[in-house]
Amino acid sequence: MIRRGHGKALEVLVDLYESAVAGDGALALVRGGMASGKTELLREFVRLAGEAGALTFSATGSLSERPLRGGVIDQLLCSAGLVREAEAFAAEGVPSAPAGGGRRDGIAEAATMTDSLVREACALFLERARERPVVICVDDVQFADSASLRFLLRLHQRIGRAPITVVLNVWDRPKQTLSAFCAELARRPYKQIRLGGLPRDAVARMAAEAVGAKQAARLVPRLMELSGGNPMVVRALIEDYRTGVCDERGLPVPGPETGRAALAVMHRWEPQLLEVARVLAILGEHADPSLAARLLRTRVEYTGEVVQILTAAGLYADGRFAHEPVASAVREGLAPRELAWMHLRAAELLYQRGAPVMAVADHLVSADSAPGGWAMQVLRDAAGEAMAADRPERAEVYLELAFRSGRDEVERVALVQSLAEVTWRVNPCASAAYLAVARTTARLEPRTPREARTEIRNGLWRGDSDAVERALKQLVADEAMLDPRTAAELRLGLAWYYGPSGGPAREAMHELLTPSGEPWTVVADAMGSLWSRGGSREVVDGAGHILQNCPLSDVSIEALATALVALAHGNETRLAAEWCDLLIAEAERRRGTTWRAFLNAVRSEISLLAGDPCGASLQATAALSLLRPQEWGVLVGYPMACLLEADGARGEHASAAEKLRYLVPDGMYATTVGVRYLFARARYALATGSPLAALADLHACERAVRDRRLDVSALAPIEIGMAEAKLRLGRAEEARDLMSLYLDDSPRTRFRGVALRVFAEAGDPARRADLLRESADELERVGDTLELERTKAVLHRLHGEPGTGIARRSEPEPGADPLEHILSEAERRVAVLAASGHSNRDISRKLWITISTVEQHLTRVYRKLGVSGRRQLADIVESGIVIAITDLVSNS
């Protein structure tokens, strides 16, 4: 037996042909698995033999022609143009109806005719061989009719010294094919060739013919890895690659052509093989021969054999199809009803076997059917597992099918409540729609803690304070339904929308108070002061406890957001940013679109407080792209406010004006979010020279705080905004009085520095410089670089000084470097090179310091000189403020 690649196998056949021409007739049996290249080998051999002057005959066995006596003989004759002879054999091969001798006589007559046909066919081919060499090739001989097989055996026994070469292709499969035929064939010597996978050089030649030698050299390792040398798979992969199907590295991957080619090959095998392949594709990772046999109600031996055949062809590995396009092509060949039936049957069998519920549920979803109580329970359990695995979209699919399939009204209400819960994480609008369906039923009130929390969550998001209050009362009515941590999280959630008083839900919020000594109560009490007192030490400590002890969830999201904002307002913007980035990454990993959007908005506020309007704008934009404005509910004002502030600070007034055209829900103005939005809109109006419009919005803020008890003065200092507006309108005395009261009554929040600047601009000119310096010190303390720049700009206009540092220093001696008392020598070297257009890398090389050291020096230079970047630094150098620094750099 010869195991060779196609090139070597062809050489063997050519050698046999040459021996036959020399008077030693021969027969070769070529074995090969699915798509191993048997047919291609036969065609190539026929072509070469024809070119050498042989008379060639070709035929292909097929199941459809198997009942026809002498069907392969007929094909052989027609392939060589011997049509008349073929017609004669066809007429002779049809037995006449028995004249009256009965069925036994008819069988005997048919056998006699078959013997006659076989003898005459054999004689004809031997006669032709006297004229010229004869080559007879039969592909898929396992499908040949019995008469043709007898002809081939008879010819093999009589070729002797005749110049005849016979090549037969047969399947190579675990269960022996044509065992009786092969046993008879062995009575006389014959050559047996088994086709294995293509060798590497053969694959390289195929690839080079398609894409060129240079490109082929890069593709061959991947082609060998994916195909195992199977010619059909190699050819299909190359075709997919030529149509642009490749991975990120530009290497081949299986695509549609691979799937089509594999399906075509399976169609050539017996129909039962394709049936088993389809079942295996449907069962996916849970496929095995025994389960496939049960689904098809067939023998496990046969399904096992099919698995072996597909594995040998490189199409199946590790209990599943090796390439998804092949599995998809196999599945898609089924009619929809048959496919649905198979998925339903697979679900039943997997359920009986105790397979994971999500695997069973996936088949129910594919069948679009949930028959019986077992299927409904599977879908509910699978939804729970999907949520535990952070796959809310999948949980929604399971529950949707259960809801559509359910008949019990109570069960359907419970299912729609669950749908509202799981969809909020990815689509708050869909969650609200599901709750609306639940409210149309007879039972309007939530009956479990989860249902109550879902109702609260959606009510807050929609601004439906009545729904929030009803659900809260239901929740607090049963002490067993509310643990201290959940109570604290809910209190902070209510405060996010309605301030520390709870707004319209204040009565229910009061019920959430747990014993005063309880740790969660202490933390919640401390965090409640954030809105009116700002980020005190007590608030910052409470924020740390929340961030370390509250896992990210639908209930805790506002509590976590409150903690992040508390850190930022407590002068811990860097720590707040780090925590927020970690939570955003977790939300993305857990597929929480709503969480990601909310946290991106929080991150935008943190960036604003850190003096980074560009970052704030990007983060607010990201938040609004994750959820469309209409999906935000009343919370839409939060990212919008951050975006208005950021774009206004960057001078992008046209962009901010565009955002103001968004329609916001009326209910938003009854929440703290509405107050913050109005405050941001007022700030934008001031930035664009519209103090009257700003005052209108600020008065609306005042009314909301007064009438709805929405105290957020520590986060949105309305008095400062009013003072700025009045100052622009020339009403300096009113502005001064407002700021005087604010500075006397308000705690030391991070806005105190801003208030000092406005007070300085509106107050006594003699005290202005001192107040501005105090403002700068205060803003530098809290790390608000954006407002610090604004204060320095006022100082610059007042004294012609670039910043507070200069104002504090004594004047330099005549002829001395004016920055000698401001910048260190190292800082001056870096400043001059940066102003001259050198990159940080260039500076580090020139001064023999690290890039990190350059960045640190530049940060201090910008702060001390009151500039925001290299352009302003260059202006200072060009204006002559920096003297003799160039000498310092050149001497270094």
Side-chain angles (χ1 to χ4, degrees):
M1 185 177 295
I2 303 171
R3 296 175 182 270
R4 301 177 183 245
H6 291 43
K8 298 298 182 183
L10 186 59
E11 291 177 12
V12 173
L13 293 180
V14 170
D15 290 345
L16 286 177
Y17 170 74
E18 292 174 350
S19 297
V21 171
D24 187 13
L27 182 145
L29 189 67
V30 181
R31 291 185 177 276
M34 177 179 287
S36 57
K38 301 183 299 294
T39 301
E40 183 182 354
L41 173 66
L42 213 59
R43 287 173 182 166
E44 182 64 14
F45 176 61
V46 167
R47 184 186 67 79
L48 292 175
E51 291 177 355
L55 179 60
T56 61
F57 299 85
S58 299
T60 300
S62 68
L63 283 170
S64 61
E65 288 198 2
R66 200 171 198 174
L68 300 178
R69 185 181 297 120
V72 168
I73 298 173
D74 180 68
Q75 285 188 56
L76 290 170
L77 294 173
C78 289
S79 70
L82 304 178
V83 179
R84 187 176 299 173
E85 289 83 349
E87 291 175 350
F89 275 106
E92 184 178 343
V94 179
S96 59
R103 180 173 177 270
R104 182 176 299 177
D105 292 340
I107 293 173
E109 181 182 355
T112 301
M113 287 184 174
T114 299
D115 290 340
S116 173
L117 181 145
V118 168
R119 286 194 303 272
E120 292 183 20
C122 190
L124 184 148
F125 282 96
L126 289 169
E127 182 67 28
R128 291 289 177 176
R130 292 192 179 97
E131 303 168 4
R132 53 197 286 203
V134 169
V135 170
I136 300 171
C137 294
V138 181
D139 197 13
D140 284 342
V141 72
Q142 71 275 354
F143 292 136
D145 60 281
S146 59
S148 297
L149 289 175
R150 290 177 60 184
F151 154 71
L152 291 171
L153 286 172
R154 184 180 180 89
L155 183 63
H156 177 49
Q157 293 165 357
R158 285 163 176 74
I159 53 179
R161 295 288 180 180
I164 297 177
T165 308
V166 181
V167 183
L168 308 176
N169 278 0
V170 66
W171 284 354
D172 190 17
R173 55 190 298 174
K175 184 180 178 181
Q176 182 64 44
T177 304
L178 296 177
S179 55
F181 175 78
C182 291
E184 286 296 319
L185 204 63
R187 291 177 180 273
R188 190 177 184 278
Y190 71 97
K191 186 72 71 177
Q192 188 166 188
I193 303 172
R194 190 184 299 275
L195 291 183
L198 290 175
R200 189 184 184 92
D201 58 343
V203 173
R205 284 195 299 273
M206 290 175 66
E209 290 173 4
V211 298
K214 184 177 180 180
Q215 200 170 355
R218 195 172 68 89
L219 306 184
V220 167
R222 172 58 69 88
L223 291 173
M224 289 296 295
E225 175 191 347
L226 294 175
S227 70
N230 184 299
M232 178 276 296
V233 179
V234 171
R235 193 175 296 107
L237 286 168
I238 292 172
E239 189 59 34
D240 276 326
Y241 177 78
R242 293 177 66 183
T243 58
V245 181
C246 58
D247 63 14
E248 63 278 359
R249 295 175 295 170
L251 295 175
V253 292
E257 185 57 34
T258 305
R260 284 191 292 267
L263 184 61
V265 169
M266 291 182 205
H267 272 295
R268 288 184 56 190
W269 283 57
E270 56 201 17
Q272 294 86 347
L273 181 139
L274 186 55
E275 286 182 4
V276 175
R278 282 172 171 158
V279 168
L280 294 172
I282 287 168
L283 290 172
E285 63 180 311
H286 298 283
D288 63 51
S290 62
L291 199 62
R294 288 185 63 191
L295 198 153
L296 287 171
R297 295 184 173 89
T298 188
R299 294 177 297 108
V300 69
E301 292 80 11
Y302 181 72
T303 55
E305 184 186 18
V306 171
V307 168
Q308 289 179 291
I309 291 169
L310 295 173
T311 301
L315 300 176
Y316 203 81
D318 300 324
R320 62 191 308 167
F321 276 94
H323 311 303
E324 180 53 35
V326 175
S328 296
V330 170
R331 285 191 297 265
E332 289 167 4
L334 285 167
R337 290 185 64 180
E338 187 178 5
L339 182 62
W341 178 86
M342 283 193 171
H343 275 296
L344 186 56
R345 179 71 176 140
E348 292 173 351
L349 293 174
L350 288 171
Y351 175 72
Q352 293 167 10
R353 182 175 279 197
V357 289
M358 287 181 66
V360 180
D362 284 339
H363 285 290
L364 291 173
V365 169
S366 296
D368 195 30
S369 176
W374 70 271
M376 295 291 287
Q377 187 61 49
V378 162
L379 290 169
R380 286 193 295 268
D381 292 345
E385 286 199 7
M387 288 302 290
D390 295 314
R391 298 181 61 188
E393 298 95 339
R394 204 66 202 155
E396 182 182 6
V397 171
Y398 298 146
L399 292 172
E400 265 285 353
L401 176 58
F403 178 72
R404 286 188 283 107
S405 304
R407 295 292 178 265
D408 181 77
E409 194 61 29
V410 174
E411 183 179 41
R412 282 168 58 83
V413 171
L415 285 167
V416 82
Q417 287 277 2
S418 296
L419 277 164
E421 179 185 354
V422 303
T423 53
W424 187 85
R425 194 185 296 188
V426 291
N427 188 343
C429 282
S431 180
Y434 283 125
L435 276 183
V437 172
R439 289 191 206 98
T440 62
T441 63
R443 182 173 63 80
L444 296 177
E445 301 298 335
R447 63 178 181 179
T448 68
R450 288 178 61 178
E451 289 180 6
R453 290 195 293 267
T454 300
E455 186 70 55
I456 293 168
R457 151 77 37 248
N458 277 274
L460 290 172
W461 199 264
R462 298 190 315 272
D464 186 350
S465 57
D466 292 337
V468 171
E469 192 162 15
R470 284 197 307 270
L472 273 172
K473 287 179 178 178
Q474 179 79 12
L475 197 60
V476 300
D478 184 355
E479 292 183 3
M481 295 174 70
L482 198 63
D483 60 272
R485 192 186 80 183
T486 303
E489 289 173 342
L490 287 171
R491 282 179 61 193
L492 293 174
L494 286 167
W496 183 272
Y497 292 90
Y498 298 119
S501 69
R506 53 184 167 271
E507 290 184 12
M509 188 173 182
H510 180 73
E511 298 294 329
L512 291 173
L513 295 176
T514 51
S516 57
E518 213 289 321
W520 282 105
T521 303
V522 173
V523 171
D525 289 343
M527 297 302 296
S529 66
L530 166 68
W531 310 97
S532 57
R533 299 176 58 82
S536 64
R537 190 69 258 168
E538 184 183 27
V539 169
V540 170
D541 290 342
H545 289 306
I546 288 174
L547 290 168
Q548 290 169 0
N549 293 281
C550 286
L552 180 59
S553 70
D554 293 345
V555 177
S556 70
I557 183 67
E558 284 93 358
L560 292 169
T562 303
L564 293 168
V565 171
L567 284 180
H569 279 270
N571 309 331
E572 297 285 356
T573 52
R574 180 175 295 181
L575 183 60
E578 291 173 358
W579 267 106
C580 193
D581 290 341
L582 287 173
L583 288 169
I584 289 172
E586 181 183 350
E588 184 172 6
R589 186 175 64 253
R590 295 175 60 190
R591 301 178 179 88
T593 305
T594 305
W595 296 345
R596 285 176 62 198
F598 196 163
L599 290 166
N600 267 285
V602 174
R603 187 66 174 84
S604 178
E605 181 178 3
I606 294 169
S607 293
L608 278 173
L609 294 172
D612 179 15
C614 292
S617 179
L618 288 173
Q619 288 137 4
T621 301
L624 289 167
S625 65
L626 286 165
L627 291 179
R628 295 170 298 171
Q630 60 268 33
E631 292 177 323
W632 278 88
V634 299
L635 197 62
V636 69
Y638 183 43
M640 292 283 289
C642 294
L643 201 53
L644 285 173
E645 292 257 19
D647 287 348
R650 295 188 306 138
E652 298 287 343
H653 301 311
S655 175
E658 184 180 346
K659 308 301 186 300
L660 287 172
R661 287 199 288 269
Y662 287 169
L663 292 176
V664 295
D666 292 338
M668 182 191 78
Y669 296 108
T671 68
T672 59
V673 177
V675 174
R676 299 178 74 175
Y677 174 77
L678 287 170
F679 181 76
R681 197 167 72 180
R683 293 282 297 261
Y684 165 76
L686 284 173
T688 53
S690 303
L692 286 175
L695 271 179
D697 280 338
L698 291 165
H699 283 305
C701 289
E702 267 193 328
R703 287 193 298 274
V705 171
R706 181 183 63 248
D707 299 342
R708 300 181 183 275
R709 301 176 64 181
L710 303 175
D711 186 6
V712 289
S713 56
L715 307 186
I718 301 167
E719 295 91 339
I720 296 177
M722 284 189 166
E724 286 187 278
K726 291 177 183 293
L727 192 60
R728 302 283 179 87
L729 290 169
R731 295 153 62 179
E733 188 174 346
E734 293 179 43
R736 184 179 65 248
D737 292 343
L738 272 173
M739 288 300 90
S740 179
L741 286 172
Y742 180 86
L743 291 168
D744 288 342
D745 297 341
S746 298
R748 196 178 176 89
T749 69
R750 65 180 291 113
F751 296 111
R752 182 176 178 82
V754 181
L756 284 167
R757 183 182 67 234
V758 177
F759 187 47
E761 291 182 275
D764 184 1
R767 294 186 57 202
R768 192 165 294 164
D770 291 335
L771 287 171
L772 288 171
R773 292 190 188 99
E774 187 180 350
S775 168
D777 288 340
E778 188 69 22
L779 292 169
E780 189 167 12
R781 180 185 68 82
V782 300
D784 193 339
T785 56
L786 189 62
E787 292 295 344
L788 179 60
E789 272 194 32
R790 290 170 176 161
T791 293
K792 288 180 177 180
V794 177
L795 265 172
H796 184 64
R797 290 195 303 269
L798 185 63
H799 293 301
E801 298 171 354
T804 58
I806 294 177
R808 251 188 243 113
R809 304 283 181 174
S810 59
E811 292 296 323
E813 295 295 325
D817 179 359
L819 302 185
E820 182 179 351
H821 299 287
I822 303 170
L823 304 180
S824 68
E825 182 175 319
E827 290 168 348
R828 280 180 283 160
R829 295 177 197 273
V830 171
V832 170
L833 289 173
S836 302
H838 290 76
S839 69
N840 288 0
R841 186 176 296 278
D842 293 338
I843 298 172
S844 72
R845 288 172 178 169
K846 192 170 184 65
L847 298 181
W848 294 90
I849 57 178
T850 66
I851 295 177
S852 175
T853 302
V854 174
E855 293 171 348
Q856 293 171 21
H857 283 326
L858 281 176
T859 299
R860 287 193 291 269
V861 168
Y862 294 159
R863 178 173 55 80
K864 291 180 178 180
L865 297 183
V867 298
S868 60
R870 292 173 185 251
R871 180 174 297 178
Q872 292 181 358
L873 183 62
D875 292 341
I876 292 175
V877 172
E878 290 173 7
S879 67
I881 294 177
V882 179
I883 300 174
I885 304 181
T886 306
D887 293 336
L888 281 170
V889 174
S890 59
N891 292 334
S892 66

